[in-house]
Amino acid sequence: SQQGEEDPQALSIQEGENATMNCSYKTSINNLQWYRQNSGRGLVHLILIRSNEREKHSGRLRVTLDTSKKSSSLLITASRAADTASYFCATSSGYSTLTFGKGTMLLVSP
Amino acid sequence: DAGITQSPRHKVTETGTPVTLRCHQTENHRYMYWYRQDPGHGLRLIHYSYGVKDTDKGEVSDGYSVSRSKTEDFLLTLESATSSQTSVYFCAISDGQGEETQYFGPGTRLLVL
């Protein structure tokens, strides 16, 4: 069963706009990660946030984590057409494995 | 793809035949994983390995077996393929505790007729 659930399932925006995706999970975690998948390719790691962190930045990416609400958000600022992809959150709970959500499909139109 | 290759990249097979997928890494990472990705289900863990000859089951292990005789190779075997095993299979590797960043291979598209 999925630990993380992304919302929305699909998101369509224009270039230059910001994109926000959310992830909710059910049990306590050690860390939460976000991955990107371009069509037909393997997943690529974007960012990892630990359970004792509340916010993390990497370039145009901003991730927040609220452990009291068991949720995380990924913000992509100033989106580009090249950001078009599926985005997955993944949680770790101390068993050497990650549990992935079903993903958010982001379409950025020029 | 962080020194990870998967073979074959595409395979068509018939129900009831055995199939073996190979994952090869050049990173000397301890942990290796096999996932399947299906529409509506996201990525689900099949089996993983935490060292040579050390493996464990994931969420959807029924109908699959794995072997790891060398650090660099992790094999996934479908003993008798079924149409429900039609999927895209991804291998991933990780160092550290396995909960850290995972690096994914390019995937294998398997069609079971």
Side-chain angles (χ1 to χ4, degrees):
Chain A
S1 60
Q2 253 70 26
Q3 160 77 306
E5 290 290 339
E6 293 89 345
D7 172 65
Q9 290 186 338
L11 180 61
S12 182
I13 60 174
Q14 299 292 121
E15 264 190 331
E17 295 180 340
N18 295 341
T20 300
M21 288 158 267
N22 303 296
C23 172
S24 59
Y25 57 92
K26 299 175 183 175
T27 63
S28 61
I29 61 172
N30 291 343
N31 69 58
L32 186 145
Q33 304 177 35
W34 286 91
Y35 289 78
R36 183 188 75 232
Q37 184 181 33
N38 291 92
S39 181
R41 307 288 297 274
L43 278 69
V44 174
H45 181 261
L46 294 176
I47 196 164
L48 180 153
I49 186 165
R50 301 192 187 280
S51 60
N52 61 353
E53 298 176 309
R54 292 296 168 259
E55 187 171 314
K56 206 161 183 180
H57 296 255
S58 177
R60 294 184 294 113
L61 305 180
R62 173 179 170 253
V63 169
T64 61
L65 179 64
D66 187 335
T67 53
S68 67
K69 295 181 179 178
K70 292 187 170 59
S71 68
S72 173
S73 67
L74 170 66
L75 169 66
I76 304 174
T77 60
S79 295
R80 307 165 181 168
D83 294 326
T84 293
S86 291
Y87 292 82
F88 296 85
C89 69
T91 55
S92 74
S93 304
Y95 298 100
S96 301
T97 61
L98 297 179
T99 303
F100 286 82
K102 297 178 182 180
T104 292
M105 293 179 60
L106 173 65
L107 173 63
V108 182
S109 301
Chain B
D1 290 321
I4 310 169
T5 57
Q6 293 184 232
S7 58
R9 294 292 314 280
H10 303 270
K11 186 169 183 66
V12 180
T13 191
E14 294 186 350
T15 297
T17 60
V19 176
T20 296
L21 308 183
R22 179 182 183 234
C23 177
H24 179 77
Q25 61 148 327
T26 58
E27 306 295 323
N28 201 35
H29 282 356
R30 177 183 176 189
Y31 290 85
M32 298 186 76
Y33 304 84
W34 277 108
Y35 294 91
R36 60 178 290 173
Q37 186 174 33
D38 305 287
H41 290 279
L43 216 64
R44 293 180 292 175
L45 181 65
I46 306 171
H47 282 279
Y48 69 102
S49 170
Y50 47 96
V52 173
K53 297 192 185 335
D54 293 322
T55 65
D56 206 347
K57 296 179 179 180
E59 179 188 355
V60 290
S61 60
D62 287 348
Y64 301 95
S65 62
V66 290
S67 66
R68 192 170 178 198
S69 58
K70 298 184 291 184
T71 298
E72 56 266 36
D73 289 326
F74 193 32
L75 303 180
L76 176 70
T77 297
L78 291 65
E79 301 291 347
S80 177
T82 68
S83 58
S84 65
Q85 293 176 312
T86 291
S87 187
V88 182
Y89 291 86
F90 287 99
C91 174
I93 64 174
S94 178
D95 58 7
Q97 294 299 310
E99 298 176 349
E100 303 297 316
T101 300
Q102 292 190 8
Y103 303 93
F104 282 78
T108 293
R109 291 186 175 273
L110 176 66
L111 174 60
V112 183
L113 300 175

